[in-house]
Amino acid sequence: FKEVMKQAVDVPNVVEVCSFDGLEEKLREMTGILETCQKSLNEYLDMKKKIFPRFYFVSNVALLDILSNGNNPPAIMPYVSDCYDALAKLIFTEGSIDEAHTMIAKDGEQIELDKPFKIVGAVENWLNDLTKAMKDCLRSILTAGLEAASQWGPDNPRHGWVFQFPAQVVLQTSLIDWTEVTENALDELVNGDEDAVRNSLSLMNSRIGNLIKLVQGKLKKPDRGKIIALITLDVHGREVVERLIRDKCEGPEAFAWQQQLRFYWSDATKDCFLRICDYRTWYSYEYIGNTGRLVITPLTDRCYITLTTALRLVLGGAPAGPAGTGKTETVKDLGRAVALPVYVFNCSDQMNYQTLADIFRGLAQTGGWGCFDEFNRIPIEVLSVVATQVKTIQDAIAFLGVPANRAPEFQTAPAGQPPVKVGTFDFMGDTISLVPTTGAYITMNPGYLGRSELPEGLKALFRPITVVVPDLELICENMLMAEGFVESKSLAKKFTTLYFLCRDLLSKAAHYDWGLRAIKSVLVVAGAFKRAEPDL
């Protein structure tokens, strides 16, 4: 074979090189050996992927680089962000390459691990240990955050407490506290205290007022981002309580309350879990960093109910609607709420059933969610095989995972690391493990040319939901508050009216955008002006 390669280098004329005797036989033999090498390499990589399933979301070239640098952890830090939703890299102990003490998110937020993380063994094994260390660390910080929150009062106000903890813990603690305050008020209402819910509303209003004052002042960028996300969730919490008062809600069992995404803390297991309608799940402690959160409109609420109930029925979710209505963002935001990794895939006609099988293998073994954007761009003959792949995973969840996810009460469920592996199943001739929190969501734009109609067998595996244009006035009101405007309700009404008039009366030229993206950028600029001249 060396001789063949040498001839190819030495003789520059392609016709002459290809005319040598016996070349065809040698090339056929070389092709066979190359295929054998390729097969062996794929088997080797598959073995590593099964040990650390997040490798399924990394390219083979990157994976080879990771494996070849297994003994040099700092060299593989550039690839860590491909495996995790928010984690970007680790800070190593000075003078050491096998001990890390701090996690850094993609947005720059830093969280110190509760104990130094020792890097021991093969790369696929210590990455699994890193995932566990990340989740243990967040659980212990959340426990500390809740203990500190129990001391809220005049000497330790909530708006001072927010600077003491990472963004994810601040938001999660606030959601657990909001659930507890509202549910206790509804219990008191049942026991005859008619003003209980109104009192909880005035508490929420004062908390939001304090946060708006903070936003008006000088803040570091990460702190501003954290407080804006907290205001977004607080305002939604206040709106829910206002609706409960308006609809004369009769107690915690009423549907008006049961339809909300509610967060509870179990003192027995030191763990957080969620409920919405008849769906419940563990909080999964995936690190999400200091990211913004969606303004929750009534449409978002309905999406949450549909998508979570789909998981309860062991189905996928299928949001469909025009571009820019927030289909993918809603799935990602729900993933952040339950702290699960959400992997977004932009589908194209280049995808084949093997590509998708690898993605599903990764999702089933990590317990994460896959969001397949513009799913109907995949060719129809591939979609028919995908139906079998999705059904296989859903059957495995129904058989292995549902008993684990539907314990009568979470207090009686094991206190182990959620999500946990519950067994193995056969997936396209391959035995893989299952983490039952896994889910698949597909988003589709209707009416585009060149899009396949989904096969009926595949359609039946996904619960459809139509996503329409979101409530701009509510989004404006939220954003104005987050930017430091107190009179946000009347300003939002004026602002959206102005934009609707502009859209209807002015030029129809394509570069005049009067939609959500334009509104968002104008409000951000308005916030910058407001902070520059706080007295005006």
Side-chain angles (χ1 to χ4, degrees), residues 353 378-389 455 457-458:
Y353 75 94
I378 298 172
I380 191 83
E381 58 274 16
V382 177
L383 288 176
S384 54
V385 182
V386 172
T388 313
Q389 295 171 349
L458 185 58

Side-chain angles (χ1 to χ4, degrees), residues 253 323 333 393 428 453:
E253 298 305 316
D333 202 65
I393 292 175
M428 296 186 74
E453 183 63 29

Side-chain angles (χ1 to χ4, degrees), residues 507-525:
S507 161
K508 295 282 183 271
H511 58 274
Y512 291 122
D513 176 13
W514 302 107
L516 188 56
R517 288 184 181 99
I519 287 177
K520 187 178 187 312
S521 30
V522 170
L523 291 182
V524 168
V525 173

Side-chain angles (χ1 to χ4, degrees), residues 239-251:
E239 279 162 4
V240 169
V241 174
E242 281 176 348
R243 207 177 311 145
L244 294 177
I245 295 168
R246 192 170 60 242
D247 297 347
K248 296 184 171 61
C249 178
E250 291 174 358

Side-chain angles (χ1 to χ4, degrees), residues 75-124:
I76 69 164
M77 286 301 113
Y79 301 110
V80 167
S81 60
D82 296 338
C83 302
Y84 294 93
D85 240 12
L87 185 60
K89 57 183 176 180
L90 301 171
I91 297 180
F92 291 87
T93 307
E94 201 172 330
S96 165
I97 61 163
D98 58 3
E99 186 179 279
H101 57 78
T102 302
M103 302 186 290
I104 301 185
K106 290 172 187 173
D107 51 61
E109 184 184 60
Q110 296 190 11
I111 292 188
E112 193 171 332
L113 292 162
D114 46 357
K115 56 178 184 263
F117 173 63
K118 296 273 187 192
I119 295 171
V120 182
V123 62
E124 63 275 18

Side-chain angles (χ1 to χ4, degrees), residues 108-224:
E109 184 184 60
Q110 296 190 11
I111 292 188
E112 193 171 332
L113 292 162
D114 46 357
K115 56 178 184 263
F117 173 63
K118 296 273 187 192
I119 295 171
V120 182
V123 62
E124 63 275 18
N125 291 324
W126 70 254
L127 281 170
N128 271 325
D129 295 340
L130 174 62
T131 307
K132 184 177 182 302
M134 170 183 79
K135 294 183 176 185
D136 286 349
C137 172
L138 282 165
R139 185 195 266 110
S140 65
I141 298 174
L142 181 58
T143 309
L146 281 158
E147 281 172 13
S150 65
Q151 310 296 320
W152 286 345
D155 299 331
N156 180 24
R158 176 177 180 251
H159 52 279
W161 164 91
V162 296
F163 296 106
Q164 298 167 20
F165 292 93
Q168 183 172 351
V169 170
V170 165
L171 299 183
Q172 196 58 28
T173 304
S174 298
L175 288 166
I176 293 169
D177 177 70
W178 166 76
T179 305
E180 192 180 331
V181 166
T182 312
E183 204 148 285
N184 288 346
L186 290 168
D187 280 333
E188 286 170 26
L189 179 70
V190 172
N191 294 331
D193 184 353
E194 291 185 6
D195 291 330
V197 185
R198 290 186 190 280
N199 292 341
S200 71
L201 178 63
S202 61
L203 171 70
M204 287 168 199
N205 277 325
S206 69
R207 285 177 174 180
I208 292 170
N210 287 328
L211 290 175
I212 291 174
K213 282 177 195 158
L214 278 183
V215 173
Q216 288 170 345
K218 284 197 169 100
L219 288 172
K220 292 176 185 165
K221 194 176 176 185
D223 288 336
R224 184 173 299 284

